[in-house]
Amino acid sequence: MKATGPIPTGYESIDGELAIGGLPASVLAEKSGDTPLFVYSSAHLRKRVEDTKSAMPKRLALHYAMKANPYPPLLALMHGLVDGFDVASGGELELALVAGVNPNQISFAGPGKRDRDLERAIALGVTLNCESEGEVERAIAIGAKLNICPRLAVRVNPSFDLKGSGMKMGGGAKQFGVDAERVPALVRHILIAGAQWQGFHIYAGSQALSADAIIAMQAQTLDLVVELTQAIGTSPPKVNLGGGFGIPYFPGDTPVDINAVGLALDVRLSGLPESLADTHFCIELGRYLVGEAGVYLTRIVDRKISHGETFLVTDGGLHHQLAASGNFGTVIRRNYPVAIANRFDAAPTEVATIVGCLCTPLDKLSDSAHLPRTDVGDLVAIFCAGAYGASASPANFLGQGPAVELLV
Amino acid sequence: MKATGPIPTGYESIDGELAIGGLPASVLAEKSGDTPLFVYSSAHLRKRVEDTKSAMPKRLALHYAMKANPYPPLLALMHGLVDGFDVASGGELELALVAGVNPNQISFAGPGKRDRDLERAIALGVTLNCESEGEVERAIAIGAKLNICPRLAVRVNPSFDLKGSGMKMGGGAKQFGVDAERVPALVRHILIAGAQWQGFHIYAGSQALSADAIIAMQAQTLDLVVELTQAIGTSPPKVNLGGGFGIPYFPGDTPVDINAVGLALDVRLSGLPESLADTHFCIELGRYLVGEAGVYLTRIVDRKISHGETFLVTDGGLHHQLAASGNFGTVIRRNYPVAIANRFDAAPTEVATIVGCLCTPLDKLSDSAHLPRTDVGDLVAIFCAGAYGASASPANFLGQGPAVELLV
């Protein structure tokens, strides 16, 4: 038997079934017309945004990093809840516009922006988080061609990273941003060129669960902002402090203490020098806002025994849940939180391995989990499916195609 | 500096550029209308199939496991070259039909077939490689409902595996097939039920480079076939011996000696008992036939230095090349074969890391490779992109979308 991750709070049962948005899993599966499906809870999303805003300092704006989940109805909902969107490609930019986001609420990061992406963003008045000197040059040239003054922020590659983070985006040689020591010269160049300098984007890492680590990173980020501002001699209009707030996926993981993070940040922001009094600060969160609001539901199509082990074969798999299968950015496979959705209240009585329908041994959704007794037709729920699920998995692998998505 | 994998044979240069199908990389990029793109060489495919057929015993049929690459024009080409197709889903079945493959040339494996998949396959006369007793029951019931006698083979979970294989599909508890000791009873049940028993499917593993390992696996597979046939008392009409032939991806990898495999298999097939004299044997190969025929071409959009390291940022990435980025089924990331396509003849002069355009540190295409000096606009070639590339990567991740594909 292997442990499974903690089921996020906010999920209850109706008539013994897992319910999302007040609807039992079996009703959701019927409503969607097919399994597998992703269900996103708008109540969960709203509450998470509310809790985050109330924990963070009043001065801090909250942006949504839409790379975590670009499902259009979810974007439209988030648009009404947050202060801005961070996009990571020309494709994401178009989706944000369709969701009704105003271009001046959008910032665009990403190390491989093409000229056509820059043109579109500059024409719209989107803020570019420039990742290199070369990108700044291209943006200035395109602005001149279009006769539009581009809005340029500089993404800084900090010399520190986010301790205990699942993904480090700073601290050493990186493809992201401009090494901190070259930033003052680049900003002066932007100012001299007459572009609208928008400030800094400093993103040191993601998926940390330790409040202390996030507090330390934010403190270092603010110190760097003070230092850069001093070196440049001009105050940044905006500073994006990045994200880094993780969610519990695996056995033993515990939630980030966001109140502790918010309190520490409040103290730090209050202590900033006068030169940063008019600067707008924001954080950008993706996974933290939407990850736990999503559940992947897949139906058991076969139940079989091999060499004494029980396998539950589902109609889903890694083509929708690459990260849950342990094949995306993880070295050692561990189990995401899982349940039998239509037996949500039943006590576990057997150990079984849940696999997907693909013809590859990589397609494992839960290894030797302790579960209630199941039959063909039962629904498996994989939690923490709201971020980096549908859009971060190879949907067309083995001719499968995408899952249904529902916002309830 | 880190080594890169061996560039497959069959790639030459025209005017100093990598050429595929007689066309230089820059011409291919122009022809496709956009980068990144996958280019598949029909000449490479034809030669690989020819070489494989001539190395294998005359008695052995060659099937294409289309999961490796389902690009429609490639399927149509393969249809004219091989004896049958193995599909792994209802979606692949439809693609095979569109490519003109006759249903009686198709076998359908996969542990999570749904009732609707079984219905469609049975109605068409496709052979089902049944993965469990439960699937056999469902197939028989659906056959009765449709008044069609289903064609059922049994996928056997052997007690041995493929040594040194990249992916083990046998040897112990698995979601694939029926444990060997339960197979005779299941086949007798199929015969009694009046279904058309088609024989065995025995797939022990994939991506092995050692001829000895493949020879040993095939010998064990044939021993198992003899044993099962004896236990059942009826000869299998067909036996699919699986695949397992790997291709070199990484530094130090060498090609499989298929002539040695073919010679050993010939001896083994000649020595089979009389009861298997009329049995049709086949192997199913996917990656081996198509993997080295494909090249991924992506354009450098930025060249930057961070902490003294050179990064080449491309317009491609793991959304098309998940396995090359080291994020699919590998524990330690190693470099695929790589070249600067438009400087194919140039000597390496610098060390650089090639990354994709995604905003994640996972998006690395080649780590600290020894390359000629490059500029923005140059084309990077990642080799071994013909199998498990386009269709096995999360194309929509970060709003990117699929790459262009070309068969030349």
Side-chain angles (χ1 to χ4, degrees):
Chain A
M1 192 179 102
K2 288 180 181 159
T4 54
I7 293 176
T9 53
Y11 290 100
E12 285 161 352
S13 68
I14 293 181
D15 297 335
E17 286 196 45
L18 169 67
I20 309 165
L23 296 172
S26 61
V27 173
L28 289 163
E30 207 173 309
K31 192 177 152 86
S32 79
D34 200 6
T35 50
L37 64 153
F38 285 90
V39 186
Y40 310 120
S41 160
S42 51
H44 204 292
L45 290 168
R46 283 177 199 282
K47 180 167 187 327
R48 179 55 58 96
V49 172
E50 235 168 69
D51 291 350
T52 307
K53 280 187 165 175
S54 80
M56 291 300 128
K58 264 221 148 64
R59 185 178 175 184
L60 193 75
L62 179 61
H63 288 198
Y64 176 49
M66 64 170 275
K67 59 167 77 68
N69 189 330
Y71 177 54
L74 185 145
L75 294 183
L77 173 67
M78 293 302 279
H79 170 42
L81 302 176
V82 301
D83 308 304
F85 271 53
D86 189 69
V87 306
S89 71
E92 286 193 358
L93 174 55
E94 300 306 324
L95 286 172
L97 296 174
V98 169
V101 185
N102 192 314
N104 67 24
Q105 290 178 286
I106 300 175
S107 59
F108 183 175
K113 302 184 197 83
R114 309 185 197 197
D115 284 353
R116 65 187 187 217
D117 300 325
L118 297 177
E119 277 200 38
R120 176 77 172 141
I122 290 168
L124 286 164
V126 164
T127 293
L128 292 165
N129 291 332
C130 295
E131 307 264 355
S132 73
E133 285 89 347
E135 190 183 321
V136 166
E137 282 319 307
R138 289 193 291 138
I140 289 172
I142 288 167
K145 193 184 80 176
L146 300 178
N147 205 21
I148 298 172
C149 183
R151 299 179 176 209
L152 308 182
V154 172
R155 181 165 178 181
V156 184
N157 176 29
S159 58
F160 53 85
D161 62 14
L162 172 55
K163 301 297 172 218
S165 121
M167 246 170 241
K168 297 186 194 303
M169 324 274 275
K174 288 282 178 298
Q175 69 255 49
F176 308 109
V178 176
D179 292 352
E181 63 270 21
R182 297 205 312 268
V183 168
L186 182 59
V187 171
R188 279 192 290 267
H189 177 70
I190 289 172
L191 291 167
I192 290 164
Q196 293 183 62
W197 179 49
Q198 296 290 297
F200 304 118
H201 179 217
I202 309 180
Y203 199 109
S206 68
Q207 181 53 22
L209 294 174
S210 154
D212 288 346
I214 296 170
I215 289 167
M217 173 198 73
Q218 290 182 337
Q220 285 178 294
T221 303
L222 289 172
D223 287 348
L224 178 57
V225 168
V226 170
E227 196 185 301
L228 291 171
T229 302
Q230 216 156 18
I232 294 162
T234 305
S235 301
K238 296 181 185 173
V239 171
N240 180 332
L241 299 172
F245 298 31
I247 62 171
Y249 282 106
F250 303 117
D253 282 359
T254 52
V256 180
D257 181 350
I258 54 163
N259 291 310
V261 172
L263 283 172
L265 188 55
D266 201 27
V267 171
R268 276 286 176 160
L269 288 176
S270 312
L272 287 176
E274 190 52 33
S275 59
L276 293 166
D278 294 331
T279 298
H280 297 275
F281 288 91
C282 74
I283 51 171
E284 55 167 298
L285 300 178
R287 186 196 312 267
Y288 184 74
L289 297 182
V290 300
E292 292 175 278
V295 179
Y296 179 68
L297 294 175
T298 175
R299 202 178 287 282
I300 297 173
V301 293
D302 204 355
R303 179 189 162 87
K304 57 190 287 190
I305 311 286
S306 174
H307 291 254
E309 289 184 30
T310 301
F311 289 87
L312 306 173
V313 185
T314 67
D315 59 10
L318 69 77
H319 52 297
H320 303 145
Q321 283 283 55
L322 184 63
S325 78
N327 288 294
F328 198 45
T330 41
V331 174
I332 297 165
R333 198 204 167 284
R334 289 178 294 167
N335 287 329
Y336 270 39
V338 63
I340 304 303
N342 56 320
R343 303 173 191 264
F344 196 50
D345 291 342
T349 55
E350 68 171 14
V351 173
T353 290
I354 303 170
V355 299
C357 62
L358 302 184
C359 228
T360 162
L362 300 175
D363 194 13
K364 197 172 274 187
L365 294 175
S366 197
D367 187 12
S368 307
H370 201 197
L371 299 169
R373 160 78 200 200
T374 51
D375 291 312
V376 168
D378 283 347
L379 289 166
V380 168
I382 310 285
F383 294 89
C384 298
Y388 304 110
S391 69
S393 301
N396 290 323
F397 193 36
L398 270 57
Q400 292 293 335
V404 181
E405 293 179 272
L406 274 186
L407 177 72
V408 293
Chain B
M1 192 180 103
K2 287 181 183 159
T4 53
I7 293 176
T9 53
Y11 291 100
E12 285 161 352
S13 69
I14 293 179
D15 298 335
E17 285 197 46
L18 169 68
I20 309 166
L23 297 171
S26 60
V27 173
L28 289 163
E30 207 172 308
K31 191 179 155 83
S32 78
D34 200 6
T35 50
L37 65 152
F38 286 90
V39 187
Y40 309 120
S41 160
S42 51
H44 203 291
L45 290 169
R46 284 178 199 283
K47 183 170 185 323
R48 177 56 56 96
V49 173
E50 236 168 68
D51 290 352
T52 308
K53 280 187 164 175
S54 80
M56 291 299 127
K58 265 222 151 63
R59 186 179 173 182
L60 192 75
L62 179 61
H63 288 198
Y64 175 49
M66 64 170 276
K67 61 168 74 69
N69 190 329
Y71 178 53
L74 183 144
L75 294 183
L77 173 67
M78 292 302 279
H79 171 43
L81 301 176
V82 300
D83 307 304
F85 271 54
D86 188 68
V87 306
S89 71
E92 286 193 359
L93 173 55
E94 299 306 323
L95 286 172
L97 296 173
V98 169
V101 184
N102 191 314
N104 66 24
Q105 290 178 286
I106 300 175
S107 59
F108 182 176
K113 302 183 197 86
R114 308 184 197 199
D115 284 352
R116 65 185 187 219
D117 300 326
L118 297 176
E119 276 200 38
R120 176 79 171 141
I122 290 168
L124 287 163
V126 164
T127 293
L128 291 165
N129 292 330
C130 295
E131 306 264 356
S132 73
E133 285 89 347
E135 190 182 323
V136 166
E137 282 318 308
R138 290 192 290 139
I140 289 172
I142 287 166
K145 192 183 81 175
L146 300 179
N147 205 19
I148 297 171
C149 183
R151 300 181 175 208
L152 308 182
V154 172
R155 181 163 179 183
V156 183
N157 176 27
S159 58
F160 53 86
D161 62 13
L162 173 55
K163 302 295 173 220
S165 120
M167 243 168 245
K168 295 187 195 304
M169 324 273 277
K174 287 282 179 299
Q175 69 256 51
F176 308 110
V178 176
D179 291 353
E181 62 271 21
R182 296 205 311 269
V183 168
L186 182 59
V187 171
R188 278 192 291 265
H189 177 70
I190 290 171
L191 291 168
I192 289 166
Q196 293 184 62
W197 178 49
Q198 295 291 296
F200 304 117
H201 179 217
I202 309 180
Y203 199 109
S206 69
Q207 181 52 21
L209 294 173
S210 153
D212 288 345
I214 296 170
I215 289 168
M217 174 198 71
Q218 290 182 337
Q220 286 178 291
T221 303
L222 289 171
D223 288 347
L224 179 57
V225 168
V226 170
E227 196 184 301
L228 291 171
T229 302
Q230 218 156 16
I232 294 161
T234 306
S235 300
K238 297 179 184 173
V239 171
N240 180 333
L241 299 173
F245 298 31
I247 62 171
Y249 281 107
F250 304 117
D253 283 358
T254 52
V256 180
D257 181 350
I258 54 163
N259 290 308
V261 172
L263 284 172
L265 188 56
D266 201 27
V267 171
R268 275 286 175 159
L269 289 176
S270 312
L272 286 177
E274 189 52 31
S275 59
L276 293 166
D278 295 329
T279 298
H280 297 276
F281 289 90
C282 74
I283 50 171
E284 54 166 298
L285 300 178
R287 187 196 311 268
Y288 185 74
L289 298 182
V290 300
E292 291 174 280
V295 179
Y296 179 69
L297 294 174
T298 176
R299 202 178 287 282
I300 297 174
V301 293
D302 202 357
R303 180 189 161 87
K304 57 190 287 190
I305 311 286
S306 173
H307 291 254
E309 288 184 31
T310 300
F311 289 87
L312 307 172
V313 185
T314 66
D315 58 10
L318 69 77
H319 52 296
H320 303 144
Q321 283 282 56
L322 185 62
S325 78
N327 287 294
F328 199 44
T330 41
V331 175
I332 298 164
R333 198 203 167 284
R334 290 179 293 167
N335 287 329
Y336 271 38
V338 61
I340 304 302
N342 56 320
R343 303 173 190 265
F344 197 50
D345 291 343
T349 55
E350 69 171 12
V351 173
T353 289
I354 302 169
V355 298
C357 61
L358 302 185
C359 227
T360 162
L362 300 175
D363 195 13
K364 199 173 271 187
L365 294 174
S366 198
D367 187 14
S368 305
H370 201 195
L371 300 169
R373 159 78 201 200
T374 51
D375 291 313
V376 168
D378 282 348
L379 289 167
V380 168
I382 309 285
F383 294 89
C384 297
Y388 302 112
S391 69
S393 301
N396 291 323
F397 194 37
L398 271 57
Q400 291 294 333
V404 182
E405 294 179 272
L406 275 185
L407 177 73
V408 293

